[in-house]
Amino acid sequence: MIYVDTSVLVSSLTNEMDTHRAQEALLRFENDALYISQWSITEFSSALSLKERVGGIGAGDAKRVRAQFYQMVDASLEVLEVSTRHFKLAASFTENSKLALRSGDALHLAIASDHEMTICTLDKKMARAGSLLGISTNLL
């Protein structure tokens, strides 16, 4: 089972340096069970809005990408609930200053860990922290 980090989703649907790698990974994993969390939906929306605010994507393209994302969620991604247990585990991960985790990344790692999933990410810091925590990671 694969937990897909938001970095992979954003890159797969927008024009970024890692777009090709993200798209290839999603195709490679299409026969696997792919999961995201409710947090991923919020984080995706935030990342897309940021791209729009700084001029990285136009309003029309942002609307199209949002529609593609929700279609992807409905067609091929299972959405996991986020629980108090996940927030507490994420908080414990952030207490280790050597991991240098942002709260959202810690939450993704906590959810993947709790469900014993491999997290697929483009984020080197997240992959490193996951490995140090004993969480199965796949850095694209």
Side-chain angles (χ1 to χ4, degrees):
M1 295 187 303
I2 307 291
Y3 183 93
V4 182
D5 178 40
T6 310
S7 64
V8 176
L9 300 170
V10 172
S11 288
S12 73
L13 294 172
T14 63
N15 188 20
E16 292 188 352
M17 187 172 64
D18 295 320
T19 296
H20 187 70
R21 275 194 299 163
Q23 290 171 342
E24 282 183 340
L26 290 174
L27 286 173
R28 191 171 56 246
F29 297 134
E30 71 182 346
N31 293 326
D32 294 313
L34 299 178
Y35 294 84
I36 62 170
S37 68
Q38 292 172 322
W39 171 246
S40 306
I41 295 169
T42 301
E43 194 173 47
F44 183 92
S45 181
S46 175
L48 197 57
S49 291
L50 176 61
K51 282 181 173 290
E52 190 175 355
R53 283 193 307 275
V54 300
I57 190 170
D61 286 334
K63 184 177 180 179
R64 177 187 52 77
V65 169
R66 277 189 186 91
Q68 287 176 323
F69 172 69
Y70 285 112
Q71 183 178 31
M72 178 190 292
V73 170
D74 290 341
S76 57
L77 300 172
E78 295 291 329
V79 180
L80 300 169
E81 298 286 327
V82 181
S83 70
T84 300
R85 177 179 71 251
H86 298 132
F87 284 105
K88 288 180 179 180
L89 185 56
S92 74
F93 292 166
T94 62
E95 290 170 4
N96 183 339
S97 61
K98 293 179 182 176
L99 296 177
L101 277 171
R102 295 175 295 179
S103 56
D105 292 342
L107 185 56
H108 286 302
L109 287 168
I111 295 164
S113 174
D114 185 50
H115 291 281
E116 298 179 357
M117 295 180 175
T118 297
I119 190 162
C120 180
T121 185
L122 290 163
D123 185 324
K124 291 178 184 176
K125 287 181 183 179
M126 179 191 278
R128 179 186 168 277
S131 293
L132 291 172
L133 290 165
I135 300 167
S136 177
T137 60
N138 184 341
L139 177 63
L140 301 180

